[in-house]
């Protein structure tokens, strides 16, 4: 394994094979991970052309770390985030550096470790509900099942409300249209996006539905119309008096700070009020839609890839089963305090996230002239990075293409491996839901795998859904077998 080069050793190059007009866009769309993972063969920083935009791709993990650590110079922006803002407004994922620290501090309160324990009950309830009718021999469609668990778990933890089936299906369909249209929208010029084409109209209708559903959920929560069954109301985390769900914590962050923040000057769109104030109403709305977008498909995809990987790797599956038998005797339901003892489950999830990080492409924009790998970058330069490509870089891992959960055993872990592990990003913009997601995945997997074995049905198509925002298989049906 090579050591990490220092600054002068980094090389800059231009990817060969750009087509007129489209540049490398077609290759990116046809085989995104293969294309992005191959770029390091040309250099550590590689210029690609995506239609009219030239983008710089930091391929070396250490070079990418430098970019992600400086979130003022390499700010959120560029083709991906410009389109994402149309969905999530100025929420925590999409907001620029100037709004970030204040928003992050407020949202973070809902993700403290002490809060996570409150959310575990929701996970178990949703797994139980999803698996209620299961019997040996039944064949289930993996993604919709995992998506349902992830969406309903998040909704319960956000709102302390069991989301009814109609709303859950509506939100799932609308996100499917909106998120999976995002990359298509990325490559279309603005005048084409405004045309009344069927795809554009579908996109707009789905977006309007999501905003209406979000408003309705916040209003219902504010009026106290929630079941409260998942929390004990004693939060004890200092976010304004015992917030047992995420939305309570977000609303308390708004109400607690300045009172009438929603109507403060500059509050519209969420960009104003950066004086240590709380979250405006517009920002709460943006955060809710942001968390729904960021925290459901990602978790569902991780669960699906993990179940598939385990079905192919009997040794890893056996380690997991042995651990579950020891930690959860007689099929007892997993509890948050079991998490530190689910080390084999955790390693399998890490290795799955390394090879199948759900978020596979993100962008940044430079806010001042700078230089990277010896290449001058003017203000406004676009950078593209891919956690999927960097985690397959030979500087990060020996045999990077091999699924090997044991590479995450503490005695085998290297600084280079840590640096190349970016499924949750890095630096100040690292995923705020990383612990939440990992805990949720571990609890869902523990609950499912302590009772069932999942055997892929013939005809599975593991190629990622084309142009999807989140990497997930096109088709995976699993047959249930008793353990
Ligand atoms: C396995 C599941 C997940 C993965 C792989 C994932 C991945 C990521 C990545 C890569 C970023 C950074 C993007 C960038 O740097 O441009 C990010 C940011 C973020 N994620 Fe996640 N995420 C997951 C689950 C969640 C969950 C469950 C939530 C919330 C409920 C969430 C909320 C967020 C938010 C709010 C940000 C923006 C953080 C900031 O800029 O301060 N994510 N996520």
């Amino acid at each position: 394994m090579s050591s990490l080069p220092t600054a002068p050793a980094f090389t800059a190059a231009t990817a060969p094979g750009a087509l007129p007009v489209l540049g490398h866009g077609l290759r990116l769309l046809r085989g995104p991970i293969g294309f992005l993972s191959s770029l390091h063969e040309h250099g550590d920083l590689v210029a690609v052309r995506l239609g009219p935009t030239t983008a710089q791709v930091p391929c070396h993990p250490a070079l990418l770390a430098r970019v992600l650590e400086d979130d003022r110079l390499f700010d959120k922006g560029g083709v991906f985030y410009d389109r994402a803002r149309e969905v999530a407004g100025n929420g925590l994922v999409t907001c620029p550096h100037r709004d970030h620290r204040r928003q992050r501090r407020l949202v973070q309160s809902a993700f403290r470790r002490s809060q996570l324990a409150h959310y575990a009950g929701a996970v178990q309830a949703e797994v139980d509900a999803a698996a209620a009718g299961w019997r040996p021999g039944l064949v289930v469609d993996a993604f919709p099942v995992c998506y349902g668990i992830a969406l309903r778990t998040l909704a319960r933890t956000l709102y302390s409300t069991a989301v009814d089936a109609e709303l859950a299906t509506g939100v799932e369909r609308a996100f499917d249209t909106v998120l999976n249209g995002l990359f298509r929208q990325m490559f279309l010029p603005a005048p084409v996006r405004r045309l009344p084409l069927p795809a554009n109209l579908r996109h707009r209708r789905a977006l309007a539905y999501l905003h209406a559903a979000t408003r309705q959920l916040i209003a219902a929560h504010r009026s106290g119309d929630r079941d409260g069954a998942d929390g004990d109301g004693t939060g004890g985390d200092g976010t304004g008096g015992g917030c047992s769900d995420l939305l309570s914590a977000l609303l308390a962050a708004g109400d607690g700070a300045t009172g009438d923040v929603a109507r403060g000057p500059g509050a519209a769109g969420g960009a104003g009020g950066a004086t240590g104030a709380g979250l405006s109403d517009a920002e709460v709305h943006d955060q809710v839609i942001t968390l729904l977008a960021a925290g459901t498909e990602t978790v569902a995809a991780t669960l699906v890839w993990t179940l598939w990987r385990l079905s192919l790797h009997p040794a890893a599956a056996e380690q997991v089963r042995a651990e579950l038998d020891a930690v959860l005797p007689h099929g007892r339901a997993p509890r948050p305090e079991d998490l530190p003892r689910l080390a084999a489950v955790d390693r399998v999830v890490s290795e799955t996230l390394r090879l199948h990080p759900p978020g596979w492409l993100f962008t940044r924009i430079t806010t001042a002239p700078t230089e990277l790998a010896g290449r001058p970058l003017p203000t406004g330069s676009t950078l593209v990075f891919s956690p999927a490509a960097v985690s397959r870089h030979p500087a990060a891992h020996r045999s990077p293409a091999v699924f090997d959960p044991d590479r995450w055993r503490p005695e085998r872990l290297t600084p280079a491996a840590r640096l190349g592990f970016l499924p949750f990003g890095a630096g100040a913009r690292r995923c705020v839901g990383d612990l939440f997601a990992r805990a949720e995945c571990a609890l869902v997997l523990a609950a499912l795998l302590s009772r069932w074995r999942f055997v892929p049905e013939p005809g599975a198509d593991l190629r990622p859904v084309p142009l999807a925002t989140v990497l997930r298989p096109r088709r995976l049906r699993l047959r249930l077998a008793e353990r």
Side-chain angles (χ1 to χ4, degrees), residues 99-176:
D99 296 330
H100 180 253
R101 297 302 188 268
R102 181 181 56 95
Q103 286 199 20
R104 175 83 184 203
R105 209 176 47 251
L106 297 170
V107 174
Q108 185 111 31
S109 63
F111 289 95
R112 295 217 178 99
R113 271 181 205 276
S114 56
Q115 284 292 101
L116 296 184
H118 292 290
Y119 306 150
V123 178
Q124 188 61 44
E126 292 307 336
V127 173
D128 286 346
W134 287 7
R135 48 184 164 67
L138 188 75
V139 174
V140 294
D141 204 349
F143 189 77
V145 166
C146 293
Y147 188 87
I149 294 174
L151 176 67
R152 292 193 175 98
T153 298
L154 191 66
R156 268 193 194 239
T157 51
L158 266 171
Y159 315 116
S160 296
T161 298
V163 169
D164 69 52
E166 194 190 339
L167 186 63
T169 311
V171 170
E172 176 181 352
R173 288 214 185 111
F175 268 126
D176 201 47

Side-chain angles (χ1 to χ4, degrees), residues 14 46-57 375 380-384:
T14 298
V46 179
V48 298
R49 224 163 37 72
L50 306 175
T53 310
T54 297
Q56 310 293 330
V57 186
R375 174 173 282 164
S381 301
T382 297
L383 284 90
V384 163

Side-chain angles (χ1 to χ4, degrees), residues 3-238:
S3 59
L4 305 175
T6 49
F10 288 130
T11 56
T14 298
L19 296 174
V21 185
L22 296 173
H24 299 95
L26 213 56
R27 287 182 66 193
L28 185 74
L29 297 182
R30 285 204 176 137
I33 307 309
F35 173 64
L36 292 165
S37 308
S38 71
L39 290 178
H40 75 87
E41 292 161 14
H42 309 296
D44 298 318
L45 181 73
V46 179
V48 298
R49 224 163 37 72
L50 306 175
T53 310
T54 297
Q56 310 293 330
V57 186
C59 301
H60 196 286
L63 191 64
L64 178 54
R66 189 175 301 173
V67 169
L68 296 181
E69 288 305 327
D70 193 343
D71 65 314
R72 182 193 291 266
L73 180 58
F74 301 102
D75 203 355
K76 290 272 176 118
V79 275
F80 177 74
Y81 280 112
D82 290 349
R83 293 290 79 73
R85 275 184 193 131
E86 290 168 9
V87 180
N90 197 48
L92 187 57
V93 170
T94 41
C95 71
H97 174 267
R98 68 169 182 274
D99 296 330
H100 180 253
R101 297 302 188 268
R102 181 181 56 95
Q103 286 199 20
R104 175 83 184 203
R105 209 176 47 251
L106 297 170
V107 174
Q108 185 111 31
S109 63
F111 289 95
R112 295 217 178 99
R113 271 181 205 276
S114 56
Q115 284 292 101
L116 296 184
H118 292 290
Y119 306 150
V123 178
Q124 188 61 44
E126 292 307 336
V127 173
D128 286 346
W134 287 7
R135 48 184 164 67
L138 188 75
V139 174
V140 294
D141 204 349
F143 189 77
V145 166
C146 293
Y147 188 87
I149 294 174
L151 176 67
R152 292 193 175 98
T153 298
L154 191 66
R156 268 193 194 239
T157 51
L158 266 171
Y159 315 116
S160 296
T161 298
V163 169
D164 69 52
E166 194 190 339
L167 186 63
T169 311
V171 170
E172 176 181 352
R173 288 214 185 111
F175 268 126
D176 201 47
T177 305
V178 166
L179 292 182
N180 293 338
L182 209 65
F183 280 101
R184 214 167 275 120
Q185 299 275 323
M186 245 169 71
F187 293 105
L188 293 177
V192 179
R193 289 202 304 276
R194 284 195 288 270
L195 289 175
L197 301 171
N200 290 348
L201 294 177
R202 264 200 310 278
H203 187 85
R204 266 179 248 164
R205 265 198 307 273
L207 202 50
Y209 175 89
L210 286 176
H211 285 302
T214 303
R215 277 193 299 275
Q216 189 191 325
L217 285 162
I218 295 174
H221 194 282
R222 276 200 195 276
S223 68
D225 181 16
R226 60 198 164 105
D227 64 19
D230 301 310
D232 60 7
T234 61
D237 62 346

